[in-house]
Amino acid sequence: MNNRAGSFLWNIRQFSTLVPTGRTVRLYPSGFCRPKIVYSSWNPRKLLSNFDNRMQSSIRYLFQDALIFKSGGDGFQTKGISTATVLTVDRLLCRRRLSFNSKHFVSDNGLKKNFHHEASNEDVLTKRTKPTPINCRKLSQECNSLSDVLDIFSKAPTFPSSNYFSAMWTIAKRMSDDQKRFEKQLMFNHPMFSQLCEQIMREAKIMHYDNLLFSLHAMVKLGIPQNTLLIQTLLRVVQERINECDEKCLSVLSTILEAMEPCKNVDVLRAGLRMLVDQQVWKIERVFTLQAVMKCIGKDAPIGLKRKLEMKALKELDQFSVLNSQRMFAVLAAMNHRSIILLNECSKIVTSNIHGCPFKILISILQSCRDLQYFNIDLFKGIADYVATTFDIWKLKKVLFLLILFENVGFRPVSLMDLFMKKAADEPGFLNVKSLVSILHVYSSLNHFHKCWTHEFLEVMASALTGSLHHITSENLLNAVCSFCLMNHFPLAPINQLLQKDIIHDLLTSGDVERNVHKLHVLAACLKLDDVPCHKDTHLVLPQLSSMPSHPHAKVAEVLSSLLGEGCFSKSILKSEWMLTGAKCFHFLTWMW
């Protein structure tokens, strides 16, 4: 008798250690919970009187290493929101040591209940009520379309919902543009898409910050309109939780802001990012993250922040890979910061590793140098020599694009322009109006001639222009004829059509009138120098040009004075006479060459 009483009292003491406090848990259908602590009164005497009833009428539910009890005869609710009391589990009832001193628990009526059998029932209940989390990578591998992801979401929604958007963006990246456009339309029309958007707005404040950023990035890339409630809500939540940013989140957030159009929430978030970067710039370890942040802060960022980022980049220069050096040009152009030291060091790395450099990278480097007004002859010569060496593998349109950028930065790649001149003369089939005008502008602006191929090249260009006269615009015709005249070549058919009264009137009344008037003055000056009889009777009545400094380029004035001699050049001449004298000098230099 004493043994039975002692055993009974020992069991009561062990059970009393399990219920010091209680918790009220709200269970959501998405499979996650938010506990609310409720400090309940604990009376061992009341436990003795109601012990038998509680043990018989309670339903056990194992949730996140805790035993959930719901008293009464009602069944456990899995839909909607249900409330349960969670008893904190002591070390004696943790999942790996879920046992007492004996294999059976003995209640006060002497009936033995198998504890391990009850635990297995709890596991079954857990699996039925809590969906298995879905991995984003696995989901993107199993699904072939965006609608497939939404179909899986409709069957068993899981937390976090960001996995579904990330999976859809991963799948969309594998598609062609036409297929991507079709799949996006199906995604927007899917009945579960709105429910997914609503669920992710509810989860935004409790999911991990990196998951929140990944989902927002996927939404922006999938083309969800920026002015929607979904995007604006996530932007506000990202603002509120920006202090949770680590280095990885900084990179993702910078990429998001770079892809978004300016708006109130985006501007506020970018301002917050600048403040955060200003505090954490010296803690950034990865060069990729540093460049993403530099590219995102904007051209209007404080100069102090720009210099701090520049110093950080110079400090990490030894860790720059070839790709980092190639990207640094576009990064500095995006923040409008001309760091000569950084550009020079990156130019050396790019030049020494130029072979195999993709076309997009070459274009990006030259565009950035143009925007930053950075001139590095070794870098430009390295790019030009590489393209000339591998000329046969490049399409002529791509080479023309590079030549246009070389003209923008004021560099004349002689060998590349010679190869392009010969190729264009041999294969004029690729020429259209746009490429024709661009080629003539590049060669006339850079004043490039070849002893053997120039005449043939100009004849091919003139023939292509004559064949396009029936559909060419007035401005394109003016640009092409001016380029021919600057190269001392005068095709009759294009010039006669340009000098028609209706075309001259169109040029003087529409488009960039000031620019057209300037080019017409250049054309008139060149025609006066030509010895062809049909041009001597041509007389253009043009409006006067707007006032400008009489000698805008001191070096040009000095060269003209030395070439023409004393008394033949005056700094106070009118602009039209300035052009006439310049044209004379140009033809003189061409004849001497």
Side-chain angles (χ1 to χ4, degrees):
M1 184 64 181
N2 293 332
N3 292 335
R4 290 188 61 187
S7 178
F8 178 75
L9 293 176
W10 183 88
N11 287 327
I12 292 299
R13 286 195 301 269
Q14 293 298 320
F15 190 77
S16 65
T17 61
L18 304 179
V19 199
T21 59
R23 287 187 183 182
T24 298
V25 179
R26 296 170 62 87
L27 298 180
Y28 291 81
S30 55
F32 60 91
C33 68
R34 298 177 65 181
K36 180 179 180 182
I37 302 297
V38 178
Y39 294 95
S40 59
S41 59
W42 172 250
N43 193 340
R45 295 182 181 179
K46 292 183 180 181
L47 176 67
L48 292 175
S49 61
N50 298 326
F51 179 79
D52 183 53
N53 294 330
R54 290 192 180 185
M55 289 302 298
Q56 292 180 1
S57 62
S58 297
I59 298 176
R60 295 186 180 182
Y61 179 64
L62 190 63
F63 184 81
Q64 293 185 351
D65 297 337
L67 289 176
I68 299 179
F69 290 79
K70 180 174 175 63
S71 301
D74 299 336
F76 189 82
Q77 299 178 1
T78 58
K79 294 183 179 180
I81 300 177
S82 60
T83 303
T85 302
V86 181
L87 302 182
T88 306
V89 180
D90 200 7
R91 59 182 181 84
L92 295 176
L93 276 180
C94 62
R95 185 173 296 181
R96 297 184 181 179
R97 297 180 244 176
L98 199 58
S99 63
F100 290 98
N101 289 344
S102 61
K103 293 183 179 180
H104 299 85
F105 182 83
V106 183
S107 63
D108 58 345
N109 58 4
L111 297 178
K112 294 183 178 181
K113 296 182 179 181
N114 193 316
F115 188 81
H116 295 286
H117 179 68
E118 293 181 3
S120 63
N121 292 336
E122 293 167 357
D123 293 339
V124 174
L125 182 59
T126 301
K127 293 180 181 178
R128 290 181 180 177
T129 56
K130 185 177 180 180
T132 304
I134 295 180
N135 182 269
C136 170
R137 181 177 300 179
K138 183 179 180 181
L139 189 61
S140 61
Q141 293 174 352
E142 294 177 351
C143 300
N144 297 320
S145 66
L146 309 184
S147 299
D148 292 344
V149 179
L150 294 173
D151 292 338
I152 293 178
F153 168 76
S154 64
K155 296 177 182 178
T158 60
F159 176 82
S161 301
S162 58
N163 288 333
Y164 297 100
F165 278 105
S166 299
M168 286 192 290
W169 169 235
T170 303
I171 295 171
K173 288 190 294 185
R174 302 196 296 255
M175 299 178 179
S176 61
D177 293 338
D178 294 336
Q179 185 181 4
K180 190 184 301 182
R181 193 179 303 109
F182 177 73
E183 286 291 337
K184 286 181 181 179
Q185 190 63 38
L186 293 179
M187 177 191 71
F188 290 133
N189 296 331
H190 198 282
M192 295 302 298
F193 179 72
S194 59
Q195 295 187 23
L196 178 59
C197 295
E198 291 175 1
Q199 180 162 326
I200 200 167
M201 283 193 291
R202 290 194 299 266
E203 299 174 359
K205 291 189 176 182
I206 60 174
M207 69 170 61
H208 289 295
Y209 194 67
D210 56 347
N211 289 336
L212 176 62
L213 292 177
F214 282 130
S215 60
L216 180 58
H217 177 262
M219 292 174 196
V220 173
K221 291 297 184 180
L222 286 172
I224 298 178
Q226 184 173 320
N227 59 350
T228 56
L229 177 63
L230 173 64
I231 299 295
Q232 296 300 320
T233 300
L234 295 187
L235 285 174
R236 291 293 300 273
V237 177
V238 171
Q239 294 174 26
E240 295 172 2
R241 302 176 57 186
I242 194 171
N243 288 330
E244 301 178 31
C245 255
D246 56 7
E247 184 171 339
K248 180 180 179 182
C249 293
L250 275 177
S251 177
V252 179
L253 181 57
S254 301
T255 306
I256 293 172
L257 292 177
E258 184 184 353
M260 300 189 73
E261 296 294 330
C263 69
K264 186 175 181 180
N265 283 326
V266 171
D267 295 340
V268 172
L269 189 55
R270 181 175 279 109
L273 178 65
R274 290 174 180 173
M275 296 175 62
L276 190 65
V277 170
D278 191 47
Q279 297 172 0
Q280 300 184 5
V281 61
W282 304 112
K283 298 179 182 179
I284 298 177
E285 297 179 355
R286 299 176 64 241
V287 177
F288 180 82
T289 303
L290 177 64
Q291 291 183 331
V293 169
M294 294 174 67
K295 198 172 183 180
C296 169
I297 62 170
K299 297 181 179 180
D300 57 340
I303 188 63
L305 178 59
K306 291 182 180 181
R307 289 177 178 174
K308 187 179 291 186
L309 289 169
E310 177 190 0
M311 293 175 62
K312 175 64 177 178
L314 290 172
K315 183 179 179 181
E316 303 293 334
L317 195 59
D318 295 338
Q319 301 182 15
F320 272 30
S321 63
V322 177
L323 182 60
N324 294 142
S325 302
Q326 294 170 348
R327 293 183 70 246
M328 185 52 69
F329 291 87
V331 168
L332 292 174
M335 63 187 298
N336 193 25
H337 186 66
R338 188 169 177 259
S339 174
I340 299 298
I341 300 177
L342 198 54
L343 289 170
N344 288 342
E345 295 299 325
C346 291
S347 297
K348 294 177 182 178
I349 300 176
V350 170
T351 305
S352 59
N353 298 274
I354 193 65
H355 292 281
C357 186
F359 173 75
K360 291 183 178 180
I361 299 295
L362 297 178
I363 293 297
S364 176
I365 291 174
L366 291 177
Q367 288 176 336
S368 302
C369 292
R370 176 198 61 194
D371 297 339
L372 294 171
Q373 298 182 357
Y374 173 71
F375 189 87
N376 188 318
I377 191 170
D378 293 330
L379 174 64
F380 298 157
K381 189 175 184 303
I383 295 175
D385 292 344
Y386 165 65
V387 177
T389 304
T390 58
F391 185 81
D392 293 334
I393 68 174
W394 298 91
K395 293 182 180 180
L396 289 182
K397 291 184 178 180
K398 291 185 176 181
V399 179
L400 175 58
F401 198 7
L402 288 171
L403 290 177
I404 293 173
L405 291 174
F406 278 128
E407 188 273 334
N408 290 340
V409 298
F411 177 75
R412 185 169 73 101
V414 177
S415 59
L416 183 59
M417 295 186 75
D418 288 343
L419 289 174
F420 185 86
M421 179 183 289
K422 185 176 184 303
K423 191 73 172 180
D426 295 340
E427 301 178 8
F430 83 100
L431 294 173
N432 53 29
V433 174
K434 186 176 180 180
S435 60
L436 179 63
V437 173
S438 299
I439 292 171
L440 292 173
H441 172 72
V442 169
Y443 278 81
S444 62
S445 177
L446 294 177
N447 195 23
H448 182 80
F449 295 90
H450 190 273
K451 294 181 179 180
C452 302
W453 303 329
T454 297
H455 181 72
E456 182 183 358
F457 168 74
L458 292 177
E459 289 295 333
V460 171
M461 295 293 109
S463 176
L465 180 61
T466 302
S468 304
L469 290 178
H470 61 284
H471 63 271
I472 193 172
T473 63
S474 300
E475 288 191 0
N476 283 335
L477 180 60
L478 175 62
N479 294 333
V481 171
C482 276
S483 297
F484 272 120
C485 292
L486 290 176
M487 290 187 288
N488 199 23
H489 190 78
F490 301 93
L492 296 180
I495 292 177
N496 291 332
Q497 179 164 336
L498 176 62
L499 296 180
Q500 294 179 6
K501 292 184 179 181
D502 56 340
I503 294 182
I504 296 296
H505 177 74
D506 185 28
L507 291 172
L508 296 178
T509 56
S510 62
D512 191 348
V513 177
E514 185 176 356
R515 180 173 176 272
N516 293 339
V517 171
H518 170 74
K519 284 185 173 290
L520 286 173
H521 276 279
V522 173
L523 175 63
C526 291
L527 292 178
K528 289 181 181 179
L529 294 173
D530 187 32
D531 295 332
V532 180
C534 64
H535 295 157
K536 290 184 179 180
D537 298 333
T538 302
H539 180 67
L540 292 176
V541 180
L542 301 174
Q544 292 293 329
L545 293 171
S546 59
S547 60
M548 63 172 295
S550 58
H551 51 286
H553 301 290
K555 291 186 178 180
V556 175
E558 182 181 353
V559 171
L560 289 175
S561 298
S562 61
L563 289 174
L564 299 176
E566 294 294 336
C568 297
F569 174 76
S570 175
K571 293 182 180 182
S572 60
I573 60 176
L574 297 176
K575 189 172 181 181
S576 58
E577 296 177 357
W578 166 275
M579 289 187 228
L580 179 61
T581 309
K584 289 181 180 179
C585 179
F586 178 81
H587 290 305
F588 174 75
L589 292 176
T590 303
W591 177 78
M592 289 293 294
W593 187 85

